[in-house]
């Protein structure tokens, strides 16, 4: 009896790891940095330094990030991949779940850690994360699903020399009718151009690869080593041994790597950018990144490259979840057709179902929580907010038909989804168009890559009342309109959720109403809600189009400062930049 107790007691003590309150204070500021060694530029960091600190928590902790906005522009922070179940206001996307934090103001992001795995925190306002406001966010479990000796967090990112607002201005311009995206000047491994790693013989490492890119896709491998995939986007997977992995913007993959037993050879970790995306390939862009993996820093014997680069056969759809869940028939379908077209303002925009997203005058979450049973009417969220109201607990299938000649990574906030099928061309409900179904144990993640001119079918349970952004994670495409909002279970949200007062206070400080419809009004009167930039229909004369665009731009500028917060209005933005440069 005595001996059992003496064993049992320490075990119990060890397993009830005390949940902690992890508290951070972030003053969001400008800083200067030269991470690629080629160009020093103004970046956005924390407390005057860059990069922002990595955040580490353990399951059951509560994370509190006290932010102060010391920039001269609004900002907002998103913890990518968090379900925020019961705390949707802390999700972060500007004008979806919160008003952006005006310059000089504070906001506290507080939420419980119920998940584990590899995530990241990034700005969700205009192109700010490409200016550097992004950092890994690691949720440790105890115990972890797999054992390993050490973990190495490896953020990968593209890097621009120009400020995002200037890049956005050039991208969202009538002088860019093909919608050519700004091409990054560099790629960074570990936020630098000269990363290196040390491996100790015989040890097993968990590499947490996090793609914090705004645009570029990478293939990652280590010469002479296999990679065992064990996690995608916070979901533990069955171990699968591969030579290289592929990550689109915002995706994460953990791999286990067993170090060699000898130290006579060193190797390179390779991260090759997928150059298919770039409209032009600048000669000075080094898109095949490499970082040495040293077993012994005293010699220079490197193994020959055995890099597959873009020949990689890695395909995340074949991965299986460690905790399997079979697909079930959907109760409800949402069809989203992805396209890029020049719209009535003369700008090439991304769009779902022929309509680019424009932020409403009131955050969609505030509309949902303040409009009683009108919150079921999709129109109250605004004519170009692309709101889809979902019934509580429905199994929802999103059909993503990509008409574009480029691949796009789509991210759903507040959930992971199953990827159940994929195929070339357009899915019209004819099930034999699906190349292969994945129904027994489909992979689950929070970002899905939809290849060019093809479709993907994803499914999730609407079990998280709130307003959840769904968008392309290529930052340029999000800003141009490739986004929608899933309004999930409004009546349950109204019963269960009580938005902290501080969130209403920042709306007031920003001059934005925290209640009402997309126009900031009661009922179904939506006059004044941002809209009017649409497809150019046949039948308008060229002159007519010009007149119409001018009229819309005048209307948007007339909306004043609210629109400045709410909309990526290129004309107004351009004027502001010109004005600030003139000062
Ligand atoms: C930022 O500064 C605040 C106030 O001095 C400090 O409490 C906090 O720990 C700092 N945070 C970081 C990440 O440096
Ligand atoms: C976090 O969990 C605690 C305890 O279960 C709960 O009282 C609190 O409301 C939760 N906080 C949030 C922001 O969900
Ligand atoms: C978190 O809390 C749950 C429920 O109390 C418990 O089963 C689990 O072991 C805890 N996880 C960690 C890492 O402490
Ligand atoms: C990150 O994602 C972007 C965009 O999808 C992609 O172009 C880039 O190659 C990826 N980087 C890595 C290291 O996987
Ligand atoms: C290293 O040596 C151990 C023990 O001798 C062996 O079990 C293991 O397979 C070796 N590992 C590699 C990567 O060669
Ligand atoms: C909306 O709510 C009001 C009062 O709460 C009720 O009278 C009305 O029938 C409801 N309308 C619908 C469409 O459910
Ligand atoms: C989606 O498209 C399919 C095929 O065209 C159609 O059968 C289905 O009804 C559509 N679903 C919705 C919700 O519109
Ligand atoms: C469904 O697609 C298959 C494969 O393309 C085609 O052979 C078949 O005719 C289609 N069925 C219908 C009803 O359109
Ligand atoms: C949210 O919490 C509810 C219980 O409060 C649970 O039923 C649901 O599955 C959770 N959803 C997610 C996405 O975590
Ligand atoms: Cu895209």
């Amino acid at each position: 009896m005595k001996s059992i107790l003496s064993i049992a007691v320490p075990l119990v003590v060890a397993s009830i790891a005390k949940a902690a309150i992890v508290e951070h204070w972030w003053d969001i500021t400008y800083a200067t940095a030269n991470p690629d060694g080629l160009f020093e530029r103004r970046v956005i960091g924390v407390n005057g330094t860059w990069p922002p600190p990595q955040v580490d928590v353990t399951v059951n902790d509560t994370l509190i990030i006290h932010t102060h906005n010391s920039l001269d522009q609004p900002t907002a922070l998103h913890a990518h991949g968090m379900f925020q179940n019961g705390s949707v206001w802390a999700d972060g996307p500007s004008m979806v779940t919160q008003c952006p934090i005006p310059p000089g103001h504070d906001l506290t992001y507080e939420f419980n850690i119920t998940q584990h795995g590899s995530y990241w925190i990034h700005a969700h306002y205009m192109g700010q994360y490409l200016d550097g406001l992004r950092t890994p966010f690691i949720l440790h479990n105890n115990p972890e699903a797999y054992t390993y000796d050490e973990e190495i967090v490896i953020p990968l990112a593209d890097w621009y020399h120009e400020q995002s607002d200037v890049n956005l201005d050039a991208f969202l311009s009538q002088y860019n009718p093909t919608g050519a995206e700004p091409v990054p000047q560099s790629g960074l491994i570990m936020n630098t151009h000269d990363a290196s790693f040390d491996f100790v013989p015989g040890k097993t490492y968990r590499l947490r690869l996090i793609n914090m890119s705004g645009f570029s896709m990478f293939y990652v491998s280590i010469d002479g080593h296999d990679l065992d995939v064990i996690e995608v986007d916070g979901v533990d997977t069955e171990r699968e041994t591969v030579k290289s992995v592929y990550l689109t913007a915002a995706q994460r993959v953990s791999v286990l790597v067993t170090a060699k037993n000898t130290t006579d050879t060193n190797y390179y970790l390779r991260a090759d950018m997928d150059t298919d995306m770039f409209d032009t390939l600048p000669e000075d862009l080094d898109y095949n990144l490499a970082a040495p993996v040293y077993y012994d820093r005293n010699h220079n014997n490197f193994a020959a490259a055995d890099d597959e680069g873009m020949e990689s056969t890695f395909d995340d759809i074949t991965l299986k979840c460690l905790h399997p869940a079979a697909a079930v028939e959907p109760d409800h379908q949402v069809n989203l057709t992805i396209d890029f077209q020049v719209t009535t303002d003369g700008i090439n925009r991304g769009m779902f179902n022929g309509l680019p997203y424009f932020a409403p005058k009131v955050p969609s979450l505030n509309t949902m929580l303040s409009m009683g049973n009108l919150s079921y009417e999709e129109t109250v969220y605004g004519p170009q907010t692309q709101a889809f109201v979902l019934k509580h607990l429905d199994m929802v299938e999103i059909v993503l038909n990509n008409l574009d000649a480029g691949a796009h990574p789509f991210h759903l906030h507040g959930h992971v989804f199953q990827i159940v099928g994929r195929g070339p061309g357009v899915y019209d409900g004819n099930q034999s168009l699906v190349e292969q179904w994945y129904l027994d144990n489909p992979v689950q993640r929070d970002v899905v890559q939809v290849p060019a001119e093809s479709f993907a079918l994803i499914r999730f349970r609407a079990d998280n009342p709130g307003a959840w952004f769904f968008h392309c994670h290529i930052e340029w495409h999000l800003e141009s309109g490739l986004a929608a909002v899933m309004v999930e279970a409004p009546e349950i949200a109204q019963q269960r959720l009580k938005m902290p007062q501080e969130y209403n206070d920042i709306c007031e400080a920003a001059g934005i109403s925290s209640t009402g419809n997309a126009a900031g009004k009661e009922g179904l009167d939506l006059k004044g809600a941002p809209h009017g930039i649409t497809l150019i229909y046949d039948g308008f004369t060229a002159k007519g189009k010009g007149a119409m665009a001018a009229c819309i731009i005048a209307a948007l500028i007339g909306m004043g400062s609210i629109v400045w917060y709410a909309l990526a209005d290129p004309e107004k933005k351009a004027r502001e930049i010109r004005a600030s440069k003139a000062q």
Side-chain angles (χ1 to χ4, degrees):
M1 198 61 209
K2 191 162 181 287
S3 68
I4 290 170
L5 263 180
S6 68
I7 294 167
V9 168
L11 272 181
V12 168
V13 168
S15 66
I16 308 180
K18 192 104 176 72
I21 293 178
V22 178
E23 219 164 350
H24 288 264
W25 283 263
W26 282 15
D27 186 9
I28 298 171
T29 59
Y30 293 114
T32 51
N34 184 5
D36 64 0
L38 300 173
F39 186 78
E40 186 170 82
R41 54 157 289 180
R42 188 181 83 169
V43 297
I44 301 179
V46 168
N47 287 9
T49 66
W50 189 90
Q54 177 176 314
V55 177
D56 283 87
V57 293
T58 304
V59 175
N60 297 336
D61 286 353
T62 297
L63 176 64
I64 305 176
I65 304 181
H66 304 272
T67 62
H68 176 76
N69 180 6
S70 287
L71 308 176
D72 57 4
Q73 53 180 316
T75 190
L77 280 188
H78 167 55
H80 182 112
M82 294 296 94
F83 295 156
Q84 298 288 8
N85 196 348
S87 51
V88 47
W89 45 79
D91 191 43
S94 171
M95 298 314 285
V96 180
T97 62
Q98 69 162 89
C99 296
I101 311 166
H105 286 262
D106 297 338
L107 187 66
T108 303
Y109 292 93
E110 173 174 348
F111 51 92
N112 291 332
I113 304 301
T114 61
Q115 297 158 259
H116 60 272
S118 313
Y119 300 84
W120 57 308
I121 293 175
H122 65 84
H124 221 302
Y125 180 80
M126 306 293 280
Q128 280 178 352
Y129 86 73
L130 301 186
D131 287 327
L133 190 47
R134 54 184 170 191
T135 194
F137 176 33
I138 308 301
L139 282 58
H140 301 275
N141 203 358
N142 187 13
E144 296 283 0
Y146 292 90
T147 53
Y148 42 88
D149 299 307
E150 259 178 55
E151 70 171 41
I152 306 176
V153 178
I154 308 184
L156 304 153
D158 45 16
W159 190 250
Y160 290 87
H161 289 173
E162 196 53 271
Q163 306 279 324
S164 287
D165 54 2
V166 177
N167 274 332
L168 262 180
D169 201 30
F171 173 59
L172 294 175
S173 153
Q174 293 165 350
Y175 302 106
N176 183 25
T178 62
E181 298 84 359
V183 175
Q185 276 67 45
S186 296
L188 304 176
I189 300 176
M190 314 284 278
N191 294 311
T192 166
H193 62 102
D194 58 4
S196 64
F197 303 91
D198 289 284
F199 275 11
V200 172
K203 277 199 174 180
T204 299
Y205 295 91
R206 176 185 191 158
L207 310 186
R208 296 180 184 266
L209 304 165
I210 305 181
N211 187 347
M212 309 198 302
S213 276
F215 185 34
S216 320
M217 242 77 83
F218 291 86
Y219 297 92
V220 180
S221 62
I222 305 179
D223 292 340
H225 291 69
D226 283 337
L227 311 177
D228 285 2
V229 176
I230 56 160
E231 177 217 338
V232 287
D233 297 355
V235 175
D236 295 323
T237 65
E238 286 182 12
R239 186 189 281 251
E240 184 165 320
T241 304
V242 298
K243 183 70 193 86
S244 63
V245 297
Y246 181 75
L247 293 95
T248 75
Q251 288 186 329
R252 292 88 63 208
V253 176
S254 278
V255 296
L256 294 183
V257 184
T258 301
K260 305 284 180 195
N261 280 342
T262 54
T263 60
D264 53 1
T265 312
N266 294 323
Y267 300 83
Y268 277 99
L269 177 144
R270 307 201 177 263
D272 298 333
M273 287 191 192
D274 180 350
T275 51
D276 278 353
M277 328 240 330
F278 303 154
D279 290 76
T280 55
L281 260 188
E283 270 176 27
D284 54 351
L285 171 65
D286 182 9
Y287 41 86
N288 293 328
L289 310 179
V293 176
Y294 290 109
Y295 283 83
D296 183 348
R297 285 185 180 255
N298 294 315
H299 67 68
N300 247 334
N301 311 326
F302 278 87
D306 67 348
D307 185 17
E308 315 173 304
M310 288 169 66
E311 303 301 308
S312 173
T313 52
F314 177 73
D315 191 353
D316 65 339
I317 202 170
T318 64
L319 296 171
K320 292 183 162 51
C321 299
L322 191 60
H323 305 290
V328 300
E329 279 303 301
D331 304 300
H332 181 71
Q333 208 179 33
V334 173
N335 291 335
L336 295 178
T337 299
I338 298 134
D339 203 5
F340 283 76
Q341 292 291 335
V342 174
T343 45
T344 46
D345 58 350
I347 291 172
N348 186 306
R349 292 182 178 277
M351 58 190 78
F352 286 129
N353 302 344
L355 202 60
Y357 170 89
F358 276 97
K361 275 188 176 175
V362 172
S364 299
L365 176 64
N366 296 65
T367 298
M368 176 195 207
L369 294 179
S370 67
M371 297 214 59
N373 53 14
L374 278 182
S375 60
Y376 275 93
E377 304 284 339
E378 284 171 355
T379 53
V380 301
Y381 300 95
Q384 282 190 233
T385 304
Q386 298 281 42
F388 294 87
V389 175
L390 306 176
K391 279 217 296 266
H392 194 217
L393 301 183
D394 266 5
M395 177 57 71
V396 179
E397 177 173 83
I398 301 184
V399 177
L400 285 163
N401 274 314
N402 180 10
L403 306 186
D404 187 50
H408 298 273
F410 288 96
H411 172 46
L412 175 62
H413 289 224
H415 293 275
V416 290
F417 45 74
Q418 300 175 317
I419 309 176
V420 299
R422 212 174 45 190
V426 173
Y427 184 69
D428 61 2
N430 177 351
Q431 301 212 341
S432 54
L433 296 174
V434 176
E435 248 166 17
Q436 192 181 339
W437 290 95
Y438 297 85
L439 299 175
D440 294 342
N441 178 11
V443 68
Q444 300 180 29
R445 60 187 318 170
D446 61 40
V447 181
V448 60
Q449 170 87 328
V450 187
E453 289 155 357
S454 73
F455 65 86
L457 307 178
I458 63 173
R459 292 184 192 166
F460 64 97
R461 182 72 69 186
D463 61 0
N464 192 5
W468 304 109
F469 215 14
F470 181 80
H471 61 91
C472 179
H473 220 294
I474 291 176
E475 188 68 2
W476 310 121
H477 299 167
L478 163 59
E479 295 303 335
S480 85
L482 194 46
V485 179
M486 300 296 148
V487 175
E488 201 168 314
E491 86 289 10
I492 312 281
Q494 288 168 10
Q495 287 159 21
R496 288 190 193 162
L497 302 177
K498 177 90 186 67
M499 193 179 293
Q501 181 56 35
E502 203 187 357
Y503 284 78
N504 296 330
D505 295 344
I506 60 157
C507 288
E508 196 182 334
I512 300 173
S513 171
S514 50
T515 60
N517 65 30
K521 296 180 175 161
E522 296 307 314
L524 293 172
D525 175 9
L526 282 144
K527 205 175 294 158
H531 77 290
I533 296 180
T534 57
L535 286 175
I536 301 171
Y537 295 101
D538 292 335
F540 288 130
T541 63
K543 194 174 162 217
K545 284 177 206 163
M548 189 170 165
C551 164
I552 290 158
I553 287 161
L556 288 171
I557 289 169
M559 289 172 198
S561 67
I562 291 170
V563 173
W564 190 72
Y565 289 130
L567 278 184
D569 173 7
E571 284 299 310
K572 180 145 201 300
K573 197 77 205 160
R575 284 195 317 159
E576 275 158 14
I577 290 163
R578 280 193 294 273
S580 71
K581 281 184 181 151
Q583 276 163 15

